[in-house]
Amino acid sequence: MVNVRDFEGAAKAVLDPVYYDYFASGAQDEVTVRANEEAFRRLALVPRVLRGHKPPRLGHTVLGSQASMPIMVSPTAFHRLAHPEGERASARAAAEAGVIMIAAMLATVAVEDMAAEARKVADDPALWFQLYLQPDLGFTEALVRRAEAAGCAALVVTVDSPALGRNERGDRNGFHDLPPGIRCENLREAGGDVRSVVLSPEISWRHIDWLRGVTALPIVLKGVLHPADAALALRHGVDAILVSNHGGRQLDGTPAAVDRLPVLADAVGGEIPLLLDGGIRRGTDVVKALALGASAAAIGRPVLWGLAADGEQGVSRVLGLLRTELLNALTLCGCDSAESVPRDLVVRGAM
Ligand SMILES: Cc1cc2nc3c(=O)[nH]c(=O)nc-3n(C[C@H](O)[C@H](O)[C@H](O)COP(=O)(O)O)c2cc1C
Ligand SMILES: CCCCCCC(=O)C(=O)O
């Protein structure tokens, strides 16, 4: 396996087809799933030459979290469907690689256990926590306290989910519940019962203000695509935006995430960092995202493919492959650092 796509093939070969479909699929016609990857192919890189620099530096810091490269792990639910160790293995692999991992609220391993696993392999792992704001604010606050106590360094609030996207592969497969023994451990209550997550259209900016008032952690909004929402995020004291269409799993027909970067970069005017996910499969994709204004790019499915193919080792291999590709791409582009990728490296419509 020499690239991320090979890992998808290996994962498909070993996964229960119902779970493969859950991971791979998107909403309805999956137009946006395809658009995310195709958009990167339509962006071309115009390298500079004779730059005379040392191998590019990949290290970077976002919201106070130090990372060995500007590739993050996006939150994805239900890792134990991919591998018995689930998020324990992914958390170790991410920490070992020195990358920021965003733990999903719907993880099948509790955030405390993910943090403990990460600390087995790194002194100061960079773990963030993803939150679906629940209408039960008491429960939401309790989750925030758990994430804080576990050492999470930022809260990533997913705002593209006022309802669940319509997943037709899931409907055809009759996949509506987790198998026995696998549960969303962050939703377990003191008595042992596990709550159901609520995705509510009533969540609003008022809830972001509320969250700002109950935690000192940086707040990242995940799933912003409209510049007016980016401007509102600034007004509401949000610390960063993760530009994302949820890997095409929520509203089908939204634009490719990377195509929204320029307009969102204009909207925030450098006041807060932009992160990006959706369709990143190559080191060159990361370079394109950085050139268009992202501080870092994040991956969702590639981690699941690595995990399914070979547990912790598989995730490590996926992260390692992307690191090698990123280093190679930056060198070939004539860049000496991942933090200084110029805008004019990317042109549109060349392919
Ligand atoms: C199987 C799966 C589960 C996901 N679960 C969540 C989740 O629980 N919370 C969330 O904010 N995003 C979730 N996402 C979206 C990812 O965080 C991310 O936005 C997306 O996967 C990026 O696209 P990529 O898979 O092409 O890298 C999920 C994505 C997948 C594929
Ligand atoms: C009501 C269950 C919601 C699962 C959503 C997980 C997710 O964000 C995704 O699959 O995408």
Side-chain angles (χ1 to χ4, degrees):
M1 289 180 277
V2 301
N3 63 35
V4 166
R5 283 178 223 292
D6 291 348
F7 269 93
E8 174 166 4
K12 188 173 184 180
V14 297
L15 276 170
D16 178 324
V18 174
Y19 301 158
Y20 170 77
D21 270 354
Y22 167 66
F23 294 140
S25 62
Q28 293 179 327
D29 294 314
E30 303 185 352
V31 170
T32 298
V33 177
R34 288 187 294 279
N36 278 344
E37 290 193 36
E38 280 161 12
F40 282 107
R41 285 186 209 113
R42 282 198 304 273
L43 296 169
L45 291 166
V46 187
R48 300 297 306 274
V49 298
L50 296 173
R51 307 286 277 181
H53 58 71
K54 297 208 160 42
R57 284 170 282 113
L58 296 187
H60 81 136
T61 302
V62 195
L63 302 180
S65 292
Q66 287 183 357
S68 66
M69 62 175 171
I71 298 177
M72 306 172 54
V73 175
S74 270
T76 51
F78 312 156
H79 285 203
R80 288 190 60 214
L81 296 182
H83 187 274
E85 274 212 286
E87 290 85 354
R88 289 177 201 277
S90 335
R92 285 198 305 274
E96 177 82 30
V99 301
I100 298 169
M101 174 166 191
I102 308 174
M105 175 170 143
L106 301 182
T108 46
V109 167
V111 63
E112 295 85 354
D113 294 334
M114 287 179 69
E117 292 298 316
R119 276 195 209 98
K120 285 181 184 168
V121 296
D123 292 337
D124 191 16
L127 193 65
W128 295 5
F129 187 73
Q130 176 263 331
L131 199 58
Y132 287 114
L133 283 165
Q134 297 298 285
D136 179 344
L137 293 183
F139 179 72
T140 304
E141 184 169 353
L143 260 182
V144 170
R145 298 285 168 253
R146 283 179 63 184
E148 289 171 341
C152 293
L155 293 175
V156 178
V157 183
T158 301
V159 293
D160 58 18
S161 303
L164 190 61
R166 301 284 312 151
N167 185 307
E168 296 181 3
R169 285 205 235 181
D171 289 346
R172 280 198 194 91
N173 291 332
F175 178 55
H176 297 301
D177 226 334
L178 291 172
I182 298 185
R183 287 287 168 264
C184 294
E185 294 299 335
N186 295 319
L187 302 186
R188 197 175 282 286
E189 312 228 53
D193 289 346
V194 178
R195 284 188 174 226
S196 294
V197 64
V198 177
L199 301 182
S200 166
E202 292 182 14
I203 300 299
S204 73
W205 291 102
R206 194 172 54 80
H207 293 84
I208 302 299
D209 296 340
W210 169 83
L211 186 63
R212 183 70 295 161
V214 300
T215 182
L217 287 180
I219 295 174
V220 183
L221 293 193
K222 173 174 184 284
V224 172
L225 296 174
H226 198 295
D229 285 332
L232 279 166
L234 291 181
R235 282 197 6 224
H236 286 267
V238 163
D239 299 282
I241 288 173
L242 174 41
V243 179
S244 171
N245 52 34
H246 211 112
R249 297 165 71 83
Q250 284 296 100
L251 177 63
D252 196 24
T254 57
V258 68
D259 285 342
R260 300 307 289 160
L261 266 179
V263 71
L264 292 173
D266 282 350
V268 302
E271 282 191 46
I272 55 172
L274 293 181
L275 312 168
L276 171 97
D277 76 19
I280 299 273
R281 301 293 180 266
R282 288 287 189 185
T284 45
D285 298 338
V286 179
V287 175
K288 291 170 187 177
L290 298 178
L292 292 173
S295 299
I299 51 171
R301 293 179 185 86
V303 167
L304 296 165
W305 305 145
L307 183 63
D310 198 13
E312 177 184 352
Q313 295 287 353
V315 180
S316 295
R317 283 268 290 136
V318 163
L319 291 169
L321 281 170
L322 287 173
R323 182 193 303 278
T324 304
E325 289 187 9
L326 174 59
L327 195 61
N328 181 248
L330 286 169
T331 309
L332 290 171
C333 285
C335 297
D336 67 355
S337 146
E339 285 181 322
S340 58
V341 178
R343 174 68 187 81
D344 66 2
L345 201 64
V346 168
V347 295
R348 194 167 283 278
M351 289 170 212

